[in-house]
Amino acid sequence: MTFGDQGFPYGPPDPYAQFTAEQHRIEQERIAQERIEQERIEQGRIRRRRRNRRAAVAGIGAVLVAAVAAGVVMAAGDDGGGPAAAPPAATATATPSGARSAVPSVDASLPSDAPSSLPSLLARPVIRPEQAFPSKSVRLGDGSRYSRVDLATTTDCARGMSAELAELIQQGEKCSRLTAALFTDADRRSQVTVTVLSFARVEDASRVFMMASMDPVTYQVVSLDPPPEAGLPTVPPGSAGVFRRVMTVRSVVFANGQWGDGSETGEAELTAQTEGLLKHVMDTVVAYEDGEAGESG
């Protein structure tokens, strides 16, 4: 299993992520001013701990209940225009740091009126690699065809993600399994890695989905490099890409799409391929996690 460069999204930064960052900056300036005033009044007393910024994240209760009952908690996050839907009930507490932002403490919880069927769904084993990606050849509804050129799985999930995402996951129970598949189109130009990140608890999956939607560059899984036998080039480091994600009952499904030559043109075509493969895998995962597909095979 070889993980490659994460790349960066096409187009301008996510407006929602920019807003969050700006709010964080403003809050830090306010905190700094308060500290200066406090130190002046207390004449050199030992500095008090910095106050944490608490940002209430929208989307609670009924949203999560209805979504879990339907099998898919969230629609795809869109890096070009912000998350498609607010994450489930959660509160993020960001602690200021120096060179890079600290991973915030995120409290995600289920509503008290969660569906009665949820415990039985969570009692099923997490989806296995052969269940998430059963075919080497995929044909989507629009007629486009793709070949699966690599498949990797691990229970050491930190190997396949950014350090920040791995640190975020440590706030809850560990990831149960990470499975990634690399697809290429019929012309062998695109490289789309679809990753299924599964958890024992819905809360832990929702925590990951929320932060990945707010900051898709920081909290992302990494892409697979094609194996030598695939005959595909390795995407140049830092190449532009399309990054999407959805949440199912207990998993977060990511899709990272890039052109094999690192091209920054053809964004619409690459987006269609990435989102098409994401939906295809999402449907497979939902069918299993909703109990519509058997545990065998």
Side-chain angles (χ1 to χ4, degrees):
M1 173 171 59
T2 304
F3 292 104
D5 179 72
Q6 293 164 275
F8 62 92
Y10 277 95
D14 184 345
Y16 188 70
Q18 285 185 311
F19 171 78
T20 303
E22 179 64 13
Q23 292 298 108
H24 180 75
R25 183 190 65 78
I26 293 172
E27 181 69 4
Q28 298 319 301
E29 290 181 355
R30 183 185 67 78
I31 292 173
Q33 290 299 322
E34 288 185 354
R35 290 182 60 202
I36 291 172
E37 181 64 20
Q38 183 179 18
E39 288 169 4
R40 181 183 300 116
I41 295 174
E42 298 183 356
Q43 299 178 348
R45 289 181 57 189
I46 297 175
R47 293 181 178 180
R48 298 173 62 184
R49 293 185 61 186
R50 290 183 179 180
R51 296 169 58 192
N52 288 338
R53 173 177 63 90
R54 293 193 177 273
V57 180
I60 44 181
V63 174
L64 180 60
V65 173
V68 171
V72 180
V73 176
M74 291 296 160
D78 184 341
D79 302 329
T91 299
T93 303
T95 303
S97 68
R100 75 171 175 87
S101 297
V103 173
S105 175
V106 181
D107 180 19
S109 59
L110 285 175
S112 59
D113 53 349
S116 58
S117 61
L118 186 57
S120 62
L121 296 180
L122 296 178
R124 293 165 58 87
V126 297
I127 192 166
R128 298 196 301 271
E130 67 273 15
Q131 294 168 323
F133 302 100
S135 303
K136 290 187 176 181
S137 297
V138 172
R139 181 176 180 178
L140 302 183
D142 61 2
S144 58
R145 296 179 180 272
Y146 302 87
S147 298
R148 193 191 75 203
V149 297
D150 198 14
L151 179 66
T153 188
T154 180
T155 55
D156 183 9
C157 301
R159 295 175 57 195
M161 62 183 62
S162 66
E164 292 85 355
L165 181 53
E167 185 177 341
L168 177 71
I169 289 175
Q170 291 177 359
Q171 296 179 17
E173 294 185 11
K174 69 176 186 178
C175 159
S176 298
R177 178 170 294 277
L178 180 153
T179 300
L182 176 62
F183 295 90
T184 187
D185 62 354
D187 295 330
R188 299 175 65 81
R189 291 184 57 227
S190 65
Q191 294 186 26
V192 180
T193 297
V194 183
T195 302
V196 179
L197 193 59
S198 298
F199 297 85
R201 305 190 311 164
V202 174
E203 302 95 311
D204 297 323
S206 68
R207 178 185 294 107
V208 167
F209 181 81
M210 181 188 77
M211 294 306 296
S213 296
M214 291 175 61
D215 189 349
V217 176
T218 300
Y219 302 98
Q220 66 171 295
V221 295
V222 297
S223 302
L224 289 174
D225 280 337
E229 59 270 22
L232 296 173
T234 298
V235 178
S239 298
V242 175
F243 304 103
R244 299 289 187 267
R245 71 218 59 81
V246 297
M247 181 174 166
T248 60
V249 174
R250 68 195 302 175
S251 302
V252 182
V253 186
F254 296 81
N256 300 350
Q258 296 173 293
W259 294 121
D261 61 2
S263 174
E264 296 186 15
T265 61
E267 178 184 357
E269 181 182 359
L270 183 61
T271 298
Q273 292 190 23
T274 303
E275 293 180 347
L277 285 166
L278 176 63
K279 183 180 184 303
H280 173 79
V281 176
M282 178 196 75
D283 289 344
T284 302
V285 175
V286 167
Y288 172 82
E289 292 185 347
D290 265 356
E292 299 173 11
E295 296 182 17
S296 61

